[in-house]
Amino acid sequence: MESVNYEIREMIVKGETALGIELGSTRIKAVLVDKNHTPIASGSYEWENKLENGVWTYSEEAIWKGLQESYQNMAQEVVEKYDVMLEKIGAIGFSAMMHGYMAFNKEGKLLVPFRTWRNTITGEAAKALTGLFNYPIPQRWSIAHLYQAILNKEEHVGEITFMTTLAGYIHWKLTGEKVVGIGEASGMFPIDTVNKVFDQTMMNQFDECIKEKGYSWKVEEILPKVMLAGEEAGALTEEGAKCLDISGRLQAGIKVCPPEGDAGTGMVATNSVTKRTGNVSAGTSVFAMIVLEKGLSKVYDAIDLVTTPTGELVAMVHCNNCTSDLNAWVNLFGEMADSLGISVDKNKLFSTLYNKALEGEADCGGLLAYNYFSGEHITGFEEGRPMFVRTPESHFNLANFMRTHLFTALGALKTGLDILIKEEKVEVDEVLGHGGLFKTKEVGQRILAAAMNTPVSVMETAGEGGAWGIAVLASYMKNKVAGDIAAEETLDTYLKERVFGGQNAIKINPDPSDVEGFEQFMKRYTLGLDIERAAVASLK
């Protein structure tokens, strides 16, 4: 065993810690933090959704197995690093992938298998509700799933007494409380951001819309209670403690913060919960979240409206495709090097090719590419075909080629962001970038800064992710409830001063020539969408 850090060991023994567990699409992660919000132990569990009867789902058995194993792995690391069994924790928070549909009857039985955010089976309902509310209702939202089940005349709907999300389900089973954090709630049903509750007018509209069906419930009665960051949302029950820690060592009575979605925990983990700030997560897919000063003037299919964990309105632009095609090209160059008998470190390969893009012409020299491995709703595609296009006059060289693929990785995202920035005149002071696109120093930052014409920062120490974000929210709640911080201290102040105060971020301002080059590229990108449509139609 390594030498034990007795200061941290003492914090663990006294319960001066917080635990965050987040159930992501492919990994469940548990992170234990000390009183300074520093991660001191973690555990994880890999899992995958399954397509069953046309529905993407995870079984209840898989949910609990993954939750328990990630906790066990974290607790085992506590033993190995600090020579102490984990029995007390200061506060706990649960988070999970947002949206989806979990409906229960009065006995607490799950009526149909969990329908995840990944399903695209609610198009009719989403379109109808968007029209009814005059508010964007994406297919993945819980209310779209419920209404689609009604339109499908599914028998279980009449038996519903409670509907929640994955995070809300875990919180309920471990605390007995039917609640969700407001950020998570905003992916279930539209939020009244003034009163910080589900929108009453829209709930009334929904009830009136389905009145003739004769259900015994009203939608308000089956939705969870909405709670804000910093509020106490219950405590771990005796049964809940045994369910989470199957060794039986974990004590009951631990305070639990409101459960949040992965979007909200991502905002916390990147310190972007303040108005006029935002974050962009760029990996296999890409999404941007901008905290708004006011509502948008009209409904846009390309933009979802959710909230921060304190209920501030957030515009979200989500795209299915980002780095997959870019990675495929980098791997091709790696194959070429292997064929020549040259061994190239993967990180060096990426770094070299990414930096080469900075030598390219501002507008990519007339080259064009689409990274559509799958469909892209923002540009109107249900399927995709990755492709690269040039004219005889294009300046075809490695620098322009790599720059093109970096630009197109953000092409669909820029289409949505342009609505916010150019049409709605949304002002953004700074954006924080995180994810694989930003691993090579400066390159991804410069490209995103050019796309948004906004300064982009990346933390020197990369964010610990959503499990850490929900652990921070648990700490915030614990400190508020205990009176260790002022009752009126806001989450954004807490993050800036107590969590991120000592961290440095590397900021890059947009280069005017890069900004103009991206605009020129986007004109080509928009005109060339017909080429992509032809490829989808022709290459079946």
Side-chain angles (χ1 to χ4, degrees), residues 262-479:
D262 51 359
T265 58
M267 284 185 263
V268 171
T270 55
N271 191 23
S272 48
V273 300
T274 311
K275 290 178 181 177
R276 297 170 64 108
T277 66
N279 75 86
V280 171
S281 174
T284 304
S285 63
V286 61
F287 64 85
M289 307 196 71
I290 309 297
V291 187
L292 302 174
E293 294 180 282
K294 58 181 174 44
L296 304 182
S297 65
K298 61 181 181 179
V299 173
Y300 297 96
D301 288 341
I303 297 169
D304 299 348
L305 295 175
V306 292
T307 78
T308 68
T310 54
E312 299 294 340
L313 192 63
V314 174
M316 181 177 185
V317 181
H318 185 279
C319 306
N320 293 335
N321 302 282
C322 186
T323 59
S324 294
D325 194 39
L326 180 58
N327 293 345
W329 282 108
V330 173
N331 289 336
L332 187 73
F333 289 121
E335 262 191 72
M336 186 200 70
D338 287 342
S339 299
L340 293 172
I342 302 167
S343 178
V344 182
D345 174 75
K346 196 72 173 277
N347 290 329
K348 184 177 182 183
L349 182 65
F350 270 90
S351 176
T352 301
L353 290 171
Y354 271 42
N355 277 289
K356 194 71 180 175
L358 300 184
E359 301 173 18
E361 294 170 62
D363 74 338
C364 304
L367 306 182
L368 179 61
Y370 294 98
N371 62 337
Y372 294 6
F373 263 64
S374 64
E376 198 60 80
H377 74 284
I378 286 179
T379 48
F381 287 86
E382 292 185 6
E383 295 179 57
R385 302 289 183 271
M387 64 189 305
F388 171 71
V389 186
R390 63 190 176 106
T391 68
E393 292 78 28
S394 301
H395 300 161
F396 185 40
N397 56 46
L398 182 58
N400 283 339
F401 181 83
M402 289 307 302
R403 190 175 180 90
T404 298
H405 283 91
L406 281 163
F407 273 27
T408 204
L410 300 176
L413 184 76
K414 181 166 170 59
T415 303
L417 288 171
D418 278 354
I419 294 171
L420 291 174
I421 295 168
K422 294 180 180 179
E423 295 184 34
E424 289 288 332
K425 310 300 181 189
V426 169
E427 295 190 9
V428 188
D429 294 331
E430 187 174 6
V431 168
L432 195 129
H434 56 113
L437 188 71
F438 304 102
K439 283 184 179 177
T440 298
K441 189 177 179 181
E442 292 191 15
V443 180
Q445 271 180 274
R446 274 190 58 176
I447 301 300
L448 180 59
M452 295 187 68
N453 195 17
T454 302
V456 174
S457 295
V458 171
M459 296 282 182
E460 261 183 352
T461 51
E464 295 286 344
W468 179 70
I470 191 68
V472 169
L473 285 172
S475 292
Y476 177 59
M477 178 271 298
K478 175 171 73 80
N479 289 328

Side-chain angles (χ1 to χ4, degrees), residues 119-148:
N119 289 287
T120 53
I121 54 177
T122 64
E124 182 185 1
K127 184 177 180 181
L129 291 177
T130 297
L132 177 67
F133 299 149
N134 191 32
Y135 192 94
I137 305 294
Q139 285 205 49
R140 58 187 181 272
W141 278 27
S142 306
I143 193 61
H145 280 280
L146 174 63
Y147 191 49
Q148 191 65 54

Side-chain angles (χ1 to χ4, degrees), residues 49-357:
N49 53 189
K50 293 182 178 179
L51 185 64
E52 296 181 357
N53 300 317
V55 174
W56 288 105
T57 188
Y58 301 86
S59 69
E60 285 187 281
E61 292 77 18
I63 291 167
W64 292 108
K65 183 173 189 279
L67 190 72
Q68 290 161 355
E69 291 210 11
S70 62
Y71 178 88
Q72 283 179 284
N73 293 338
M74 178 276 301
Q76 182 59 34
E77 189 170 288
V78 169
V79 173
E80 292 169 0
K81 291 173 72 173
Y82 308 107
D83 193 26
V84 64
M85 295 287 189
L86 188 60
E87 297 176 356
K88 290 173 67 176
I89 297 173
I92 300 179
F94 300 102
S95 174
M97 58 193 104
M98 287 180 71
H99 318 298
Y101 180 70
M102 299 189 84
F104 301 87
N105 65 12
K106 61 184 179 182
E107 285 82 31
K109 178 189 174 188
L110 186 64
L111 291 167
V112 291
F114 169 37
R115 297 172 182 178
T116 78
W117 64 272
R118 190 178 179 185
N119 289 287
T120 53
I121 54 177
T122 64
E124 182 185 1
K127 184 177 180 181
L129 291 177
T130 297
L132 177 67
F133 299 149
N134 191 32
Y135 192 94
I137 305 294
Q139 285 205 49
R140 58 187 181 272
W141 278 27
S142 306
I143 193 61
H145 280 280
L146 174 63
Y147 191 49
Q148 191 65 54
I150 292 170
L151 294 176
N152 294 346
K153 298 182 172 61
E154 295 185 39
E155 287 185 15
H156 79 271
V157 177
E159 296 182 58
I160 297 173
T161 59
F162 180 48
M163 178 177 79
T164 191
T165 61
L166 180 55
Y169 164 66
I170 291 161
H171 185 98
W172 168 44
K173 289 298 183 182
L174 297 183
T175 68
E177 301 291 337
K178 295 179 176 180
V179 304
V180 289
I182 194 166
E184 176 77 333
S186 70
M188 294 190 74
F189 193 94
I191 293 291
D192 172 352
T193 54
V194 175
N195 297 306
K196 313 295 185 188
V197 293
F198 290 121
D199 190 287
Q200 188 64 56
T201 300
M202 294 185 196
M203 287 194 291
N204 294 343
Q205 288 175 314
F206 185 83
D207 288 334
E208 184 64 28
C209 175
I210 65 167
K211 185 168 66 173
E212 65 181 35
K213 306 291 184 183
Y215 299 124
S216 61
W217 50 262
K218 293 189 183 303
V219 71
E220 185 174 14
E221 297 166 354
I222 64 172
L223 286 168
K225 179 184 175 184
V226 178
M227 300 193 74
L228 302 178
E231 294 181 338
E232 185 182 333
L236 205 60
T237 62
E238 290 282 354
E239 183 184 356
K242 290 184 176 69
C243 190
L244 181 58
D245 179 10
I246 57 176
S247 75
R249 293 190 185 92
L250 186 64
Q251 296 176 5
I254 299 166
K255 290 178 171 57
V256 186
C257 72
E260 265 300 346
D262 51 359
T265 58
M267 284 185 263
V268 171
T270 55
N271 191 23
S272 48
V273 300
T274 311
K275 290 178 181 177
R276 297 170 64 108
T277 66
N279 75 86
V280 171
S281 174
T284 304
S285 63
V286 61
F287 64 85
M289 307 196 71
I290 309 297
V291 187
L292 302 174
E293 294 180 282
K294 58 181 174 44
L296 304 182
S297 65
K298 61 181 181 179
V299 173
Y300 297 96
D301 288 341
I303 297 169
D304 299 348
L305 295 175
V306 292
T307 78
T308 68
T310 54
E312 299 294 340
L313 192 63
V314 174
M316 181 177 185
V317 181
H318 185 279
C319 306
N320 293 335
N321 302 282
C322 186
T323 59
S324 294
D325 194 39
L326 180 58
N327 293 345
W329 282 108
V330 173
N331 289 336
L332 187 73
F333 289 121
E335 262 191 72
M336 186 200 70
D338 287 342
S339 299
L340 293 172
I342 302 167
S343 178
V344 182
D345 174 75
K346 196 72 173 277
N347 290 329
K348 184 177 182 183
L349 182 65
F350 270 90
S351 176
T352 301
L353 290 171
Y354 271 42
N355 277 289
K356 194 71 180 175

